[in-house]
Each structure stands twice: as structure tokens, then as C-alpha cells.
Amino acid sequence: MTDDVRRLQKASHRLMRPHRARAGGAAESCLGATPLPDGRCRFLVWAPNARKVEVRLVTERDGDRDRLVALEPTGRGYFAGVVDDVLPGALYLYRLDEDVDRPDPASRKQPRGVHGPSEVVDPRFAWSDHGWVGPPLQDYIVYELHVGTFTGEGTFEAAIRHLPELVDLGVTAIELMPIAQFPGDRNWGYDGTHPFAAQSSYGGLPGLQRLVDACHRAGLAVVLDLVYNHIGPEGNYLSQFGPYFTERYQTPWGQAVNFDGEQSDAVRRFFIDNALFWVTEAHVDALRLDAVHAIMDQSAHSFLEELTSAVHAQAERLGRRVQVIAESNLNDPRLVRPRELGGVGMDAQWNDDFHHALHALLTGESDGYYADYGALQQMAKAYREGFVYTGEYSKFRERRHGRSARDLAAQRFVVFAQNHDQIGNRMRGDRLTQLVSFAALKVAAGAVLLSPFVPLIFMGEEYGETAPFPYFVSHSDPHLVEAVRQGRRREFEAFTWNAQGPPDPQDPRTFESARLDHRLSAEGRHRALLEYHKALIRLRTDCEALRLPSNDNLEVIALDATRTLVLRRWFGADAAVTVLHFGREPATVTLPVPPGRWHKRLDAAEPRWHGPGSAIGAEVVSDGELRLELPAETVVVFTRHEEP
């Protein structure tokens, strides 16, 4: 505890009658509590539902000795003021209409949890990333992780020691699942209720800043997952301040956020300020927006467009690259189409279609939404166009779905064989490691990392982690806990994966089961799979034809009889042919390959990758066709370089 904080606490023990602060914050100031250099603090809150708002400065002892300071209304529902003798570390609440005390909607720290007082935070940090600009999107190779289960400690600080391993793997960015303050200390992050506060049990804003700074020193960008389609149920007091939510729409997770109704300008400002906060104060390089299809907004100038423009403008002011990436199940290319062409202007979007097509081929599953997938031609279409469903009838949805994205550059799509949703939304949270053969894991890695798209790896996937990733929470309300349990059971009614039902999300053992065992990466097949991933990434990075994310220089051939895909890519003098054999039996295939001498660069069947052995030599010659003997479920890559 600093001397300044001790002096503040000593002063705040004195019984003081409520008094008015000097009006300070205008609507353009930062929301929340902003410490000033002279020992004062500026407070700004939007609370149109209240006639009177006071700051209650909380002492550590007797609540009767807390200091109350009235804020001045500044118009359009904002209340602001500058309060003397308030230093970083001070605890406070907002008292609404002399009745209830609530934490700050824009709190930067919740040291006592989502229901407790907020803490004044000084966001300044001794950054060492001066000159860091961030990689272009085409160079992103993303590693998604959950802070709480990535290490035994479950903190930002603990994640730093694994950065050398990620650099050695070859990834160029880490993506953090949501870190906004949530109830308790176990949660996926999608139940956050304080969007500006980094989870205290993870290490708060200082811990996040240290992690980001360390990533930048290591050459890694940082993507942060943000949830703007809903706010978690426990500790959500926003509606007591203002009309943050609307009854006009519903989401699968509760009330929809008010992005287009009365007083929605201030709601938009709240979330856009939040995005800019993470970009500016935490130096993150990209924002991944969760489930934007559940952001209901019929306005002519959409919230997503406004947010994307604001983030890009701030990035330009800061001299950095900052990407905005959407998660959406709509298969709508307008999200990433430039604004001048009628789009939203986001930089990229997750492509669930690619995952579903790949997963169905690898597993043969046809439950739930996998009923729409399983054909090799669908995988070929995903490579050619991004989306599989571009207006065709979907059996699962019982309607037509999607729109063509043929005109979009490949870097507009993030693809994956696994991610938190596609593992965690299974009944038991089982990974591909439990579902397919070791050979098929290598096919999955090749399909993603040698695609023309931005690839994403889920934590532990690179070495075949066996720990599941089930859904987990740590709510304090028993009724809410039971509602979550029932909701998980209903979610799997369309699937027949496991008759036992999902694990209890509230049980600490469910959370503990998801922790990674990094020691596996040094053992047997796990080590071979890790080295195989490194080889794939090196190949993608070193070969120009594979490195550049372009679907213009791409030919895809599907051989249905043998369940084999051939991807031919080229750039300048470099050319590459990737053979993905999904068949579960050995096959002899004749492939259309341009004439010439081709060098084998990777063969998943070789013993060093724990394969059965390969009959393919180090060099092959094609006369326009290439005949290969392929074992079951394998990947082979050939390259050629011809000087002009």
C-alpha cells in the first residue's frame, strides 16, 4: 500500500457531510473515474434514470464514515464532477437518488467482485513497446487461449513464461478469451458485467499490460475478445443507471443491448469508449467481437460501422495497426466489405462454415448443425469462396442461408479446426484428440495452416492436449446456477453425443478439468505433433505461394472417389501443391499437377511424424499428372521454384 493511499484512507475516515464537487466532466471526457495529477479525481457517469447521483468514497472501516460527493448533471443524462483527495486505490460506489449504491458501469477494477465497490485506477504503465506497429492481418497466425486454464496459476503474469514456446511454434498473435470482470474466479468470460475492468483474479489491468508488453517484445500481436451482444446476469446493474437494454429484441443470453432505440447514442458511446480503452490503455492489436449476429440494430449507420470507424481512426492517431474481427453465423460478406461498397468495413470474420465442413469430414458426425455438412465438395467450396452456404437451403435451419463471398480476399476469413466454441459447445467439451485418429489430427492441422486464410489454433491443439474444455461458471446465486445447468441440458437436445448430460458448469472440478498439461508436449506423439505444427507454420511462412493469403492464385480439385483434395497455389516463380487425403483407407490417386520437377516439402506419413511410412520420394516429376500411393488420412506438400 502506497503512502498516498494511506493518506487518502486516513482522510476519508473523518466524518464529512455530503457536499458538491466542482463540475468537471463534460460528455466528451472519459467515462468512469479518471485520476488527475494533483490528487483529485474526475468522475463521469451516464445515469438518465436517476435524478441525483453521488460518489460514495468507501472507507475500509465504518461505512457511516464514507464520504458522499454530489455530481453535477451536465446534460443528456450525464453526471460529472472533480473530487479532491481521491488517489488511485480509492474505493467508490455511485449512490442513485439517495437510495441504492452501485459499482461504476465503467469501473476499471472490481477488487471485491462484481457486486462490490469500484476502485480508482491509474492506467499509466511503463511501456517498452515504443515503435511497435503490429503485423498486417495477412501475417496473423493466431493462438487462442483462456487465461484461467492456460496455466496452473490462471493469470496474465503466468502466461508470460510460455511466450517463448509460442514464438518457437511460429504463431504471430495470441487471442485472449474475454477478460472483463465476471462473477467469482471461474468463467469462460462471456458472463462479464464490467466491460472496462480486467478480471481481478487474472491480475487486472496492470497484469494485462505486462502481458501485452511482453508479447510485443517477443514480436506477438494481441487480440482481445469483447462481448457487446449482451451483459452477464450476475452483477449487471446497468439498467438502474439508464436504458442500456431494450425489450424490442431478445438474444439467446437475455436482454438485447439498446443500440438503436431511444437514448442509444450514449449506449453506443459506452461500448465504443470501451473498445478504444483496450486499444489505447492496454495496447491491444485487434478486437474480436463476439457473436455480432446477436447485436440487434436497424439504424442506418450501424453500431458496428461506427465502432469500426472509431477504432481505425484511433489506430491511425496512435500510429499502429488495429484490426476489428467479427464472429458471426450469418455468412454475410457485408461485415467485412469496405464501407464505400456498402459494407461495415470490419477487417475479418471467423468462418464457422470452414470448421463445420472440415469437422464433418474428419469425424463423420451429422448431429445438430453438422447435418448440413460432410461432402468433400463443400470443403472445396470453402477453400474457393470462404463460405459453404451462400444462399443454399440449410436442413438444420430449415431455410436458405448465407450469401456469396467470392469477391472477398482470403485474409478476410479466420479459419480453425478447433476453437473455444466448437470444443466447449460439445456436451463434454471434448477436443478432436478424443474424436479422431492421430493421423486425422495432422490432416486437420494441414487443412488450416496451409489454407489461404488467417489460421487460428486453440490452446493445446498444437501438441494434442487431452484436457477437455467444458463450459464453467462460478455464480453466487443458486437460482442462476440452476438456470445455467438447465440451459446447458437444453442446448444439446439436437445432439446424441453423450447420454450422461453435460458436466456441472458450477462444479470447480469442471473448471479444473480444463487446465492444460503443458508437460504433454515433450512426450511421444504429442511432441511429434508439436514439431509437425512447427513444420507446417515454417512451410507457410517460407513459401511465398503459401504465405500470401490469396484465393485468386488458387485452384482446388476434389476427388470424391478417394476423398482427396488437391490445393494448387502459386505466386510469381513459386508454386505449391497440397494434397489432403481424408480417406480412412489407403488409396492410389492420380492428381492433375502442372508438368515439372516438384520437391516434397512435407509428408505427414513419415515416421518422424509418427506416420506409417511413405512411398513418395523426395522429388517427383509430373507430366501433367502425378500418381501417388497415399496411406489413410495424410497430408503431402510439394513446391517448385522456377526462375523467370
Side-chain angles (χ1 to χ4, degrees):
M1 183 181 298
T2 66
D3 290 340
D4 286 338
V5 174
R6 288 193 181 94
R7 284 196 297 270
L8 171 64
Q9 291 179 343
K10 184 177 180 180
S12 62
H13 289 164
R14 298 192 304 268
L15 180 61
M16 299 180 64
R17 66 179 182 273
H19 67 279
R20 292 197 173 276
R22 293 187 296 277
E28 64 269 20
S29 300
C30 294
L31 291 166
T34 304
L36 301 176
D38 55 2
R40 299 181 301 160
C41 185
R42 178 186 294 114
F43 293 90
L44 176 63
V45 61
W46 184 62
N49 287 356
R51 296 182 304 276
K52 181 179 181 180
V53 177
E54 298 165 284
V55 177
R56 174 187 160 196
L57 293 161
V58 179
T59 67
E60 293 290 342
R61 298 180 182 176
D62 189 349
D64 292 337
R65 296 181 179 273
D66 290 352
R67 181 157 55 122
L68 280 174
V69 182
L71 300 181
E72 294 282 358
T74 60
R76 295 193 177 184
Y78 287 96
F79 292 81
V82 174
V83 183
D84 296 326
D85 299 322
V86 179
L87 300 175
L91 301 179
Y92 70 98
L93 294 155
Y94 287 130
R95 177 161 292 180
L96 306 179
D97 289 331
E98 301 180 341
D99 182 23
V100 296
D101 295 337
R102 295 292 180 245
D104 187 350
S107 167
R108 300 322 196 246
K109 185 176 181 180
Q110 290 296 120
R112 301 180 187 174
V114 296
H115 303 287
S118 305
E119 181 177 319
V120 177
V121 171
D122 186 347
R124 290 178 299 178
F125 179 78
W127 292 98
S128 66
D129 65 352
H130 310 296
W132 171 265
V133 175
L137 186 58
Q138 67 186 38
D139 290 343
Y140 271 54
I141 301 173
V142 184
Y143 188 91
E144 185 190 20
L145 65 89
H146 177 269
V147 175
T149 56
F150 183 61
T151 64
E153 300 91 330
T155 63
F156 298 124
E157 195 76 40
I160 293 174
R161 69 171 179 266
H162 291 283
L163 297 184
E165 300 162 20
L166 298 181
V167 171
D168 187 46
L169 173 61
V171 300
T172 61
I174 67 167
E175 177 170 323
L176 305 177
M177 287 179 63
I179 62 167
Q181 185 78 36
F182 50 74
D185 56 7
R186 307 184 307 275
N187 200 286
W188 269 23
Y190 298 94
D191 292 311
T193 55
H194 292 81
F196 287 82
Q199 175 67 15
S200 293
S201 62
Y202 290 173
L205 179 60
L208 174 63
Q209 291 169 322
R210 285 192 291 272
L211 173 58
V212 174
D213 199 44
C215 283
H216 290 173
R217 287 198 305 272
L220 296 170
V222 178
V223 186
L224 183 59
D225 194 342
L226 300 177
V227 185
Y228 292 160
N229 52 63
H230 75 288
I231 297 292
E234 183 177 349
N236 177 2
Y237 299 109
L238 291 181
S239 60
Q240 296 185 22
F241 287 83
Y244 279 89
F245 305 101
T246 176
E247 299 296 334
R248 297 171 61 198
Y249 317 108
Q250 286 294 319
T251 78
W253 311 287
Q255 284 184 303
V257 179
N258 174 26
F259 286 120
D260 64 356
E262 293 179 0
Q263 302 189 72
S264 59
D265 286 353
V267 178
R268 288 182 177 219
R269 182 244 174 118
F270 177 82
F271 288 101
I272 291 172
D273 278 7
N274 178 252
L276 298 181
F277 170 77
W278 297 118
V279 169
T280 306
E281 303 297 351
H283 287 203
V284 299
D285 303 282
L287 306 174
R288 183 262 193 190
L289 304 187
D290 178 66
V292 299
H293 52 268
I295 292 177
M296 309 301 182
D297 180 4
Q298 297 185 30
S299 56
H301 186 65
S302 72
F303 163 72
L304 289 176
E305 184 179 352
E306 187 178 354
L307 179 145
T308 302
S309 297
V311 169
H312 287 163
Q314 181 71 344
E316 186 173 352
R317 284 190 289 269
L318 296 172
R320 290 164 38 205
R321 295 188 185 98
V322 182
Q323 318 292 342
V324 183
I325 302 169
E327 183 206 16
S328 171
N329 67 10
L330 298 178
N331 284 19
D332 187 351
R334 288 175 292 189
L335 284 171
V336 295
R337 201 162 274 150
R339 286 185 289 277
E340 56 269 24
L341 297 180
V344 175
M346 302 176 84
D347 297 289
Q349 62 178 304
W350 279 27
N351 186 352
D352 281 351
D353 261 16
F354 184 98
H355 168 271
H356 298 345
L358 178 60
H359 184 94
L361 277 176
L362 293 171
T363 65
E365 289 181 356
S366 58
D367 286 332
Y369 45 73
Y370 293 125
D372 283 338
Y373 302 88
L376 188 70
Q377 293 292 341
Q378 291 177 313
M379 193 76 245
K381 184 178 180 181
Y383 279 113
R384 293 189 193 105
E385 302 185 32
F387 295 140
V388 173
Y389 279 85
T390 57
E392 295 85 353
Y393 181 80
S394 158
K395 290 185 294 183
F396 174 70
R397 294 177 174 84
E398 296 185 333
R399 60 171 173 81
R400 290 172 294 168
H401 178 61
R403 186 170 183 165
S404 176
R406 186 186 293 269
D407 61 309
L408 295 180
Q411 70 190 49
R412 300 298 183 192
F413 295 103
V414 178
V415 300
F416 33 80
Q418 303 182 70
N419 64 39
H420 72 275
D421 266 334
Q422 303 306 332
I423 299 172
N425 286 342
R426 298 180 63 81
M427 186 173 293
R428 310 298 296 179
D430 38 358
R431 295 168 176 260
L432 273 182
T433 314
Q434 280 76 44
L435 304 176
V436 301
S437 68
F438 183 75
L441 293 178
K442 292 184 286 183
V443 176
V448 170
L449 290 169
L450 299 179
S451 77
F453 309 114
V454 175
L456 179 144
I457 299 169
F458 184 66
M459 62 175 191
E461 178 182 352
E462 72 277 14
Y463 60 83
E465 175 63 63
T466 57
F469 192 70
Y471 183 70
F472 45 80
V473 297
S474 52
H475 293 304
S476 62
D477 181 348
H479 298 290
L480 179 57
V481 170
E482 186 56 32
V484 171
R485 288 171 177 151
Q486 294 296 332
R488 290 296 286 175
R489 294 189 187 104
R490 287 193 299 271
E491 191 171 338
F492 298 107
E493 290 176 352
F495 296 87
T496 59
W497 289 328
N498 196 312
Q500 297 177 10
D504 181 358
Q506 184 75 8
D507 190 334
R509 291 174 296 183
T510 303
F511 167 75
E512 292 295 338
S513 74
R515 289 196 190 275
L516 297 192
D517 184 358
H518 292 276
R519 296 170 299 179
L520 289 176
S521 64
E523 304 172 358
R525 283 189 169 187
H526 296 287
R527 181 176 179 83
L529 188 60
L530 173 62
E531 295 301 322
Y532 175 77
H533 275 80
K534 292 178 184 179
L536 284 172
I537 293 174
R538 283 196 302 269
L539 185 55
R540 178 187 178 98
T541 303
D542 294 344
C543 178
E544 287 287 285
L546 294 173
R547 184 177 68 84
L548 297 175
S550 172
N551 44 7
D552 292 329
N553 300 342
L554 169 70
E555 181 184 34
V556 186
I557 300 165
L559 306 176
D560 291 297
T562 58
R563 290 169 58 86
T564 305
L565 273 184
V566 183
L567 311 178
R568 187 170 74 87
R569 298 174 64 188
W570 60 92
F571 183 82
D574 285 319
V577 171
T578 301
V579 182
L580 300 169
H581 179 47
F582 293 92
R584 297 184 182 180
E585 299 293 334
T588 301
V589 298
T590 301
L591 312 175
V593 174
R597 193 175 299 275
W598 292 83
H599 302 280
K600 186 174 73 169
R601 297 290 300 276
L602 182 140
D603 188 340
E606 291 179 351
R608 61 174 167 163
W609 311 128
H610 281 239
S614 174
I616 302 171
E619 189 174 85
V620 296
V621 178
S622 171
D623 60 1
E625 289 187 338
L626 195 60
R627 184 180 175 86
L628 299 176
E629 300 289 335
L630 300 176
E633 298 176 318
T634 195
V635 180
V636 190
V637 183
F638 304 96
T639 64
R640 186 183 67 185
H641 180 84
E642 291 186 354
E643 295 296 340

